[in-house]
Amino acid sequence: MKVAQPAFAGIATFLRAPQRPLHAMPAYVVAVAGVTLDGSGEPGGPADGPRGIREASVSFLAALLPSMRGTLVDVDTGRRVEFTAEPPLVDIGNLDPLGGPGTPGERLRGDAAELARRAQLPVFLGGTRAISAPLLDGVAGATGQRLALLRVSSTLDLAEPPVTRPLAPEASLRAALELQVPVACLGVHGWQPVVDWTTAERRGVRVVTLADWRRAGFGGTTRAVAEELLGTAERLYVSIDIRVTDGAFVAGRNRVVSDGLLPAELLEVCESLATFPLAAVDVVEVAPLLDGTRRAEHLAFRALLALLLPRLSGKETGG
């Protein structure tokens, strides 16, 4: 893994990966795509998320490179990693759900399907959380496999979708349920609409509140829920809504609630999922222009790195 320029120079692709258009992407790689779409009916900002996450990845890489002499060790976990010179990673740029024929949902579904036919693992940088359902639908259609949705989010988002806003963020989980896939939602906390809570129970959504998650242990509970979902599905679609993190660490969105996940806890969750069979991953609701600290985009990148590390490193061992 090499970088020719400092962090402030050059094109900020994800981890300085080579750029490839979707139609010319090599097969069997981790393929990163941005979805620059704000949530209709909510304050803008997530459309800039893909750019922010990419810039965070370049900053991380520039800081890490001087110490990349042979094998690296994470002193907190004992994990040892040796990166290859050219990891199996490409960045195809941003998808354009607003250009061309069809609705934004239809375009996202088609692009996700094309990406899933080629990539070992599609990774989507959001964007509003409303992108998850059409992306999941596209990936499932392309692979022909039964997928399950594992969603890490502070909100349930089970409202009835407005007719005039088919990609409404507050209806994003309901849209996934309409796909008839197994669903689990981890990390729900704060005040929720009663109708969403009762709908989740009625529709069979596996909900683990943040309080229960913390009491039971993040790593073990996450793995148990993933295994439960894989009892009726072949692979997981994992969606990380960065708003699940405590508002003291991730500011700028329209729902800032204290006592969310701590950054270290989110990374533990992602590390717990890294070895499971993943069909696709998205990270959503990062809004750099609304967060002057830039903590959200850096945490979003670190969460992705924790999920992707076994697929990007040439060698990995325990402590």
Side-chain angles (χ1 to χ4, degrees), residues 11 75 129 159 226 232:
I11 300 174
V75 297
R129 61 194 183 278
T232 55

Side-chain angles (χ1 to χ4, degrees), residues 56-140:
S57 78
V58 171
S59 297
F60 173 83
L61 186 59
L64 183 65
L65 275 174
S67 65
M68 289 178 65
R69 300 184 300 274
T71 301
L72 302 179
V73 59
D74 183 333
V75 297
D76 295 319
T77 64
R79 174 187 292 177
R80 297 173 183 268
V81 172
E82 186 174 323
F83 286 98
T84 59
E86 296 183 2
L89 177 70
V90 296
D91 190 326
I92 69 164
N94 293 333
L95 306 180
D96 184 11
L98 300 178
T103 66
E106 290 168 346
R107 289 182 60 81
L108 286 175
R109 193 176 299 112
D111 287 343
E114 186 175 351
L115 190 59
R117 291 187 190 101
R118 289 177 170 268
Q120 179 194 61
L121 181 65
V123 176
F124 302 102
L125 312 179
T128 167
R129 61 194 183 278
I131 66 177
S132 298
L135 293 175
L136 167 61
D137 195 18
V139 172

Side-chain angles (χ1 to χ4, degrees), residues 77-292:
T77 64
R79 174 187 292 177
R80 297 173 183 268
V81 172
E82 186 174 323
F83 286 98
T84 59
E86 296 183 2
L89 177 70
V90 296
D91 190 326
I92 69 164
N94 293 333
L95 306 180
D96 184 11
L98 300 178
T103 66
E106 290 168 346
R107 289 182 60 81
L108 286 175
R109 193 176 299 112
D111 287 343
E114 186 175 351
L115 190 59
R117 291 187 190 101
R118 289 177 170 268
Q120 179 194 61
L121 181 65
V123 176
F124 302 102
L125 312 179
T128 167
R129 61 194 183 278
I131 66 177
S132 298
L135 293 175
L136 167 61
D137 195 18
V139 172
T143 61
Q145 295 179 318
R146 180 163 172 76
L147 306 184
L149 172 62
L150 194 155
R151 189 176 192 246
V152 180
S153 176
S154 59
T155 55
L156 286 170
D157 298 317
L158 288 166
E160 289 280 357
V163 176
T164 57
R165 295 189 293 116
L167 284 183
E170 70 273 18
S172 53
L173 187 56
R174 179 179 286 268
L177 289 178
E178 298 306 316
L179 303 176
Q180 302 297 313
V181 299
V183 172
C185 193
L186 309 182
V188 177
H189 61 274
W191 295 96
Q192 305 288 329
V194 170
V195 65
D196 282 14
W197 189 254
T198 56
T199 299
E201 291 182 327
R202 179 170 51 83
R203 298 290 297 270
V205 178
R206 175 76 155 89
V207 177
V208 179
T209 66
L210 179 59
D212 288 342
W213 204 8
R214 185 166 275 140
R215 278 192 292 267
F218 289 104
T221 303
T222 302
R223 288 187 290 271
V225 171
E227 289 166 358
E228 180 181 317
L229 290 173
L230 290 171
T232 55
E234 295 172 84
R235 289 199 287 169
L236 301 175
Y237 183 111
V238 174
S239 179
I240 308 292
D241 180 346
I242 203 65
R243 301 173 313 144
V244 76
T245 314
D246 193 289
F249 299 96
V250 173
R253 296 301 289 125
N254 64 330
R255 188 177 189 275
V256 181
V257 179
S258 296
D259 199 32
L261 277 180
L262 300 179
E265 292 169 340
L266 178 60
L267 297 183
E268 179 183 355
V269 169
C270 292
E271 288 169 358
S272 300
L273 293 170
T275 57
F276 280 90
L278 305 180
V281 173
D282 72 42
V283 175
V284 295
E285 298 295 340
V286 177
L289 296 182
L290 302 180
D291 181 4

Side-chain angles (χ1 to χ4, degrees), residues 285-299:
E285 298 295 340
V286 177
L289 296 182
L290 302 180
D291 181 4
T293 69
R294 306 199 69 180
R295 291 173 180 164
E297 56 211 78
H298 283 274
L299 180 58

